[in-house]
């Protein structure tokens, strides 16, 4: 519609010539049907398509941006020419377009049409209220609920007793989770019509949603407080434990304590209510190039208890029956020194990680399990290790 209003004006003489040409074209078309087979002009294989472009035979309005025939351009100019129409007439023309598009479910075009109608500055408040309400309806069907609510509220400013606009405002506010606004509009509707079933149901469902959201917000706030308290308790426990980290800022940067291994990434170290630390832990089997994980390993367990628990059922990869607790050695690696250290399995995890050679990295404990005096243990111990250089 916008492009149509910007077309260059034509003179009265040209307009009359256009009208005369329209009559002449129509007469020629009718005469050609009566006197002879159609052989010129429109191609035989596309005559229906070409005829459909003629203003008299069009079955649907042109789409925005679609090239128009000269006749159609002239007809549009007659309808939308500001020199030929008053502001009220122009607004009414676009309002009619909006109604047409609404009936045919072309809601975006309806929005554009009602916007054009409003642009002509018609001052009648009731008329403007109708345009805002109609544009609200179009936006509502497009699920543009915020725009629908704003237009409906504008319509109510112009016409406070506009029931359709109030209902649309209530619906849109409800869908936007603007609970108080929705309930306020419902209350106003029910003040005038206490038995309005739709308003009663919307008010009831909105109030239930509001209550549920407030409850969920309280739960989320409580969980966040508990999470913060747990984090502060964990940092305090780590400081007291004097555990060493490869990363110097591990106790001030929460990202440093987040495990990078996928099975552990949601399980950072944490202290329980008694200050006992629970660690994400990876157990590596160099012989099989595989790993096991424990997401929350208590520091109060001994390594011997851990092994007994891990190998209560035979290791699937262990075809020779070597992985039995008393037949295994456990090691940890000091990457900063490029050395490995054997674990005393009688010690607790707490005592092991407090050894002066033990360093935690990526917030994760890492241990290596190998059969005692096996070739795989020898190969593991004889590997060349280069000390890690911290960035």
């Amino acid at each position: 519609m916008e492009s149509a209003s910007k077309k260059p004006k034509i003179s009265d003489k040209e307009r009359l010539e256009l009208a005369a040409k329209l009559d002449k074209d129509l007469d020629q078309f009718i005469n050609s049907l009566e006197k002879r087979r159609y052989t010129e002009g429109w191609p035989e294989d596309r005559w229906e398509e070409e005829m459909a472009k003629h203003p008299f035979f069009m079955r649907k309005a042109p789409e925005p941006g679609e090239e128009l025939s000269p006749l159609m351009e002239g007809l549009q100019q007659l309808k939308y020419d500001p020199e030929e129409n008053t502001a009220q007439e122009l607004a009414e023309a676009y309002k009619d377009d909006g109604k047409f598009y609404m009936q045919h479910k072309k809601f975006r075009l309806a929005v554009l049409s009602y916007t054009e109608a409003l642009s002509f500055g018609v001052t009648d408040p009731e008329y403007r209220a109708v345009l805002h309400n109609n544009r609200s309806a179009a936006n509502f069907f497009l699920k543009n609920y915020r725009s629908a609510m704003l237009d409906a509220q504008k319509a109510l400013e112009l016409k406070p007793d506009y029931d359709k606009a109030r209902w649309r405002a209530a619906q849109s506010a409800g869908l936007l989770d603007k609970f108080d606004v929705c309930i306020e509009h419902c209350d106003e509707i029910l003040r005038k019509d206490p038995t309005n079933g739709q308003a009663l149901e919307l008010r009831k469902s909105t109030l239930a949603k509001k209550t549920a959201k407030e409850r969920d917000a309280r739960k989320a706030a409580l969980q966040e407080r508990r999470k913060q308290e747990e984090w502060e308790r964990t940092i305090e426990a780590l400081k007291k434990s004097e555990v060493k980290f490869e990363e110097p800022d591990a106790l001030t940067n929460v990202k440093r304590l987040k495990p990078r291994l996928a099975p552990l990434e949601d399980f950072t170290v944490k202290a329980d209510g008694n200050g006992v630390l629970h660690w994400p832990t990876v157990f590596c089997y160099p012989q099989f190039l595989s790993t096991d994980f424990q997401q929350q390993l208590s520091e109060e367990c001994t390594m011997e208890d851990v092994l007994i628990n891990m190998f209560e059922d035979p290791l699937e990869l262990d075809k020779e029956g070597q992985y039995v607790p008393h037949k295994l050695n456990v090691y940890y690696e000091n990457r900063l020194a490029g050395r490995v250290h054997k674990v005393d399995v009688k010690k607790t995890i707490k005592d092991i990680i407090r050894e002066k050679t033990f360093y935690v990295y990526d917030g994760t404990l890492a241990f290596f399990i190998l059969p005692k005096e096996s070739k795989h243990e020898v190969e593991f111990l004889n590997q060349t290790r280069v000390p890690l250089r911290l960035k």
Side-chain angles (χ1 to χ4, degrees):
M1 299 302 173
E2 198 172 318
S3 61
S5 61
K6 294 181 181 179
K7 294 291 181 181
K9 294 187 294 184
I10 61 176
S11 66
D12 290 346
K13 179 180 178 182
E14 290 171 326
R15 187 173 289 109
L16 291 172
E17 289 174 352
L18 185 63
K21 186 177 187 308
L22 185 62
D23 286 337
K24 183 178 178 181
D25 284 352
L26 181 59
D27 289 338
Q28 288 178 346
F29 177 74
I30 293 172
N31 290 336
S32 68
L33 291 176
E34 292 176 347
K35 296 180 180 179
R36 58 184 171 85
R37 183 182 177 185
Y38 189 82
T39 57
E40 300 177 358
W42 295 337
E44 187 172 356
D45 59 341
R46 291 189 292 109
W47 70 270
E48 289 183 325
E49 176 186 342
E50 295 295 336
M51 187 172 73
K53 296 178 182 179
H54 197 287
F56 281 177
F57 303 104
M58 275 185 163
R59 295 181 180 179
K60 65 175 184 177
E63 296 293 333
E66 182 179 341
E67 184 177 355
L68 302 177
S69 68
L71 293 179
M72 193 63 192
E73 288 186 7
L75 292 174
Q76 278 203 346
Q77 191 168 16
L78 287 173
K79 180 176 181 179
Y80 300 109
D81 191 343
E83 293 187 3
E84 297 293 330
N85 301 275
T86 65
Q88 179 71 48
E89 289 170 338
L90 289 168
E92 190 65 24
Y94 281 105
K95 178 172 174 284
D96 288 343
D97 288 345
K99 180 180 179 181
F100 173 83
Y101 289 131
M102 287 291 288
Q103 290 172 340
H104 291 81
K105 302 187 186 317
K106 303 286 187 180
F107 302 120
R108 287 182 177 81
L109 294 176
V111 169
L112 293 173
S113 296
Y114 291 128
T115 300
E116 284 293 327
L118 284 163
S119 71
F120 291 103
V122 177
T123 57
D124 180 4
E126 187 162 336
Y127 187 80
R128 293 187 68 81
V130 170
L131 293 176
H132 279 290
N133 180 65
N134 290 353
R135 189 169 67 177
S136 171
N139 272 311
F140 186 86
F141 287 118
L142 290 170
K143 298 185 179 181
N144 296 333
Y145 299 126
R146 186 175 182 276
S147 296
M149 184 185 71
L150 293 175
D151 261 329
Q153 290 178 328
K154 183 63 178 179
L156 287 169
E157 290 177 17
L158 296 164
K159 185 181 178 184
D161 61 346
Y162 203 162
D163 294 339
K164 286 184 178 180
R166 191 170 299 283
W167 174 240
R168 188 77 66 198
Q171 287 180 300
S172 301
L175 290 165
L176 291 168
D177 285 351
K178 293 185 176 294
F179 306 121
D180 292 337
V181 175
C182 177
I183 291 171
E184 181 182 343
H185 284 304
C186 287
D187 286 343
E188 183 60 26
I189 293 170
L190 292 169
R191 186 185 64 79
K192 295 174 64 176
D193 180 10
T195 62
N196 188 307
Q198 287 181 309
L200 285 167
E201 182 59 32
L202 179 58
R203 190 186 193 282
K204 179 181 177 181
S205 62
T206 300
L207 190 57
K209 285 169 63 178
K210 179 184 178 182
T211 302
K213 188 167 186 177
E214 289 173 346
R215 182 185 64 244
D216 292 343
R218 289 193 298 270
K219 284 184 179 179
L222 178 60
Q223 289 175 350
E224 188 59 33
R225 285 197 302 272
R226 287 176 176 170
K227 183 178 178 182
Q228 183 61 29
E229 289 170 0
E230 183 182 86
W231 172 248
E232 292 171 358
R233 186 169 63 243
T234 299
I235 295 299
E236 186 64 26
L238 288 170
K239 288 179 178 178
K240 288 181 179 179
S241 71
E242 299 181 354
V243 175
K244 298 175 290 299
F245 295 87
E246 285 186 1
E247 306 91 346
D249 60 344
L251 297 183
T252 57
N253 184 347
V254 64
K255 293 181 179 179
R256 298 295 193 186
L257 293 180
K258 183 177 176 63
R260 295 187 183 182
L261 297 171
L264 301 175
E265 61 185 0
D266 294 327
F267 298 89
T268 56
V269 59
K270 68 176 182 180
D272 61 22
N274 296 318
V276 177
L277 290 167
H278 298 261
W279 289 91
T281 307
V282 56
F283 292 93
C284 305
Y285 304 108
Q287 178 179 350
F288 306 118
L289 300 177
S290 65
T291 52
D292 272 338
F293 302 93
Q294 291 203 20
Q295 296 166 335
Q296 294 180 319
L297 179 63
S298 171
E299 66 176 359
E300 293 191 333
C301 296
T302 66
M303 182 59 77
E304 187 176 46
D305 291 335
V306 174
L307 293 176
I308 290 171
N309 180 65
M310 287 177 63
F311 300 108
E312 183 176 1
D313 295 321
L315 185 65
E316 186 177 348
L317 295 170
D318 178 23
K319 305 302 182 183
E320 299 177 7
Q322 295 177 299
Y323 284 77
V324 181
H326 68 277
K327 296 182 179 180
L328 300 172
N329 280 331
V330 181
Y331 298 88
Y332 64 81
E333 189 176 39
N334 181 330
R335 303 197 308 171
L336 298 178
R339 304 180 65 133
V340 294
H341 299 270
K342 186 177 177 181
V343 171
D344 181 350
V345 297
K346 298 294 183 181
K347 284 186 176 183
T348 64
I349 301 299
K350 179 178 181 179
D351 292 333
I352 295 169
I353 64 179
R354 281 162 180 72
E355 293 178 3
K356 64 180 182 180
T357 52
F358 194 101
Y359 283 82
V360 178
Y361 58 94
D362 291 339
T364 305
L365 306 185
F367 297 100
F368 300 85
I369 301 176
L370 291 138
K372 292 178 181 179
E373 300 177 358
S374 67
K375 68 173 184 177
H376 301 290
E377 183 181 39
V378 174
E379 290 173 356
F380 175 76
L381 294 174
N382 290 334
Q383 285 178 11
T384 300
R385 292 177 173 83
V386 179
L388 177 69
R389 293 184 179 181
L390 296 178
K391 295 180 181 180

